[in-house]
Amino acid sequence: MPETDHECSLPEDTKCAYRTRVEQLEEDLEQFAYLASHDLREPLTGLAGFATLLQSRCADQLTDDCRHFLNQIIEGTKRMEEKLEDLLAFSRAGRAKPTGSFPLGQAIEEARRALVRSIAETKATIDIKGELPVVEGDRSMIAQVFQNLFSNSLKYRRKDKPPLIQVEAEPHDDDSWRVAVRDNGIGFDMRYKERVFGVFQRLYTIEEYPGTGIGLAIARKVIDRHGGNIWTWSEPDQGATFYFTLPPATARS
Ligand SMILES: Nc1ncnc2c1ncn2[C@@H]1O[C@H](COP(=O)(O)OP(=O)(O)OP(=O)(O)O)[C@@H](O)[C@H]1O
Ligand SMILES: [Mg+2]
């Protein structure tokens, strides 16, 4: 199992130039996500409003076919509103402020509370292995990372057994904690290990599993903002593990 997925043998100055370029591209993408979600929302709200009006006032003048088309338009606008909302959440993740220290367990508890219904419905267990550290970061954004990872473990569960999620933190390198979130779900082929972190990238159709494909992109952005790495290890039918690193609480906090 790899310690981290980010080792490469390029010279330091080339790495540095790549890093600057990647950071610039990420900033552009974030800005684009913000503008797209913000500016597209207004015309979309108008479109959705008029389609709903047409449905409530004129439905009896329409043929069955036309009513079906109108329903498709309304469904489409709803999906688009959700995607824009997700894009906005993605651009917000870039503004995470890692400026305080907090016990990691608090972020896990916050995520667990947010998912209490689906945890009960799927009969899932979240198991904390060993002691959890105090880390430096933005508590609510790290809670969001746990929530996105847990909700995936609940969604991509196996049909034959309830989800079991194990969380563990271990010292990593000299100066960080490595957090592991492991599940017993359907897993995926490691050829998709990078793709799963892409914006709107998914391995299944919306009919098979609902979702927009933003959860892991948000998680990666938040961890990047904390100066950490996030990566995954999985095998089809053998569950998936997501690892991320976080700085420990500094002496000043
Ligand atoms: N724990 C997991 N087990 C198996 N597959 C996973 C797991 N987590 C993520 N994936 C795969 O990675 C893809 C991307 O995950 P991500 O959380 O970004 O999006 P999503 O769950 O499809 O939608 P969203 O989180 O935006 O509602 C998923 O569509 C799924 O194919
Ligand atoms: Mg998800």
Side-chain angles (χ1 to χ4, degrees):
M1 200 174 292
E3 269 292 282
T4 158
D5 227 18
H6 291 263
E7 280 151 25
C8 83
S9 55
L10 291 171
E12 268 314 306
D13 53 345
T14 315
K15 275 195 217 168
C16 191
Y18 278 153
R19 217 172 286 133
T20 313
R21 183 80 189 110
V22 168
E23 276 166 15
Q24 183 59 47
L25 284 171
E26 281 186 347
E27 226 170 84
D28 290 351
L29 176 65
E30 204 178 291
Q31 182 69 4
F32 171 78
Y34 177 76
L35 288 177
S37 49
H38 193 262
D39 292 2
L40 291 180
R41 210 188 256 170
E42 194 188 304
L44 186 65
T45 307
L47 190 66
F50 282 116
T52 312
L53 259 182
L54 201 59
Q55 191 185 46
S56 63
R57 298 222 186 134
C58 314
D60 49 354
Q61 296 164 42
L62 298 174
T63 62
D64 283 350
D65 269 358
C66 290
R67 264 198 297 274
H68 173 68
F69 300 150
L70 193 54
N71 279 338
Q72 297 292 99
I73 293 174
I74 291 170
E75 282 307 307
T77 54
K78 273 189 200 142
R79 287 280 309 136
M80 210 158 147
E81 272 166 356
E82 279 166 23
K83 286 206 176 224
L84 292 183
E85 201 47 55
D86 286 344
L87 263 186
L88 210 54
F90 173 74
S91 80
R92 238 181 271 131
R95 271 170 268 150
K97 283 209 184 74
T99 51
S101 65
F102 64 92
L104 195 65
Q106 276 183 6
I108 296 175
E109 200 38 50
E110 215 172 299
R112 190 207 297 264
R113 272 204 303 274
L115 293 169
V116 77
R117 253 182 76 178
S118 9
I119 291 173
E121 274 165 18
T122 56
K123 300 189 171 41
T125 308
I126 299 180
D127 195 14
I128 313 280
K129 288 176 80 186
E131 295 288 306
L132 294 172
V134 175
V135 292
E136 188 77 10
D138 180 328
R139 199 197 67 211
S140 77
M141 292 313 282
I142 297 297
Q144 182 70 62
V145 170
F146 279 112
Q147 189 179 327
N148 293 1
L149 295 178
F150 292 168
S151 74
N152 282 347
S153 299
L154 302 177
K155 182 165 33 169
Y156 304 107
R157 64 186 182 274
R158 286 174 54 139
K159 294 208 162 54
D160 56 345
K161 46 184 167 189
L164 172 62
I165 303 172
Q166 290 173 312
V167 187
E168 191 175 14
E170 289 178 331
H172 180 67
D173 294 341
D174 287 345
D175 201 21
S176 66
W177 286 94
R178 190 193 73 172
V179 183
V181 176
R182 186 169 294 117
D183 68 40
N184 60 344
I186 60 172
F188 53 84
D189 194 303
M190 278 299 271
R191 94 184 105 135
Y192 302 120
K193 69 185 165 84
E194 277 306 310
R195 182 167 155 191
V196 292
F197 291 102
V199 177
F200 294 153
Q201 296 291 322
R202 323 193 58 232
L203 306 182
Y204 301 96
T205 64
I206 198 96
E207 286 76 26
E208 290 169 298
Y209 293 96
T212 44
I214 202 93
L216 291 179
I218 289 178
R220 173 161 276 180
K221 184 138 273 260
V222 170
I223 299 303
D224 275 358
R225 289 282 298 167
H226 285 74
N229 286 320
I230 183 166
W231 70 100
T232 181
W233 184 262
S234 182
E235 262 183 80
D237 272 334
Q238 301 298 315
T241 306
F242 285 84
Y243 298 95
F244 60 87
T245 54
L246 277 178
T250 54
R252 77 178 156 74
S253 41

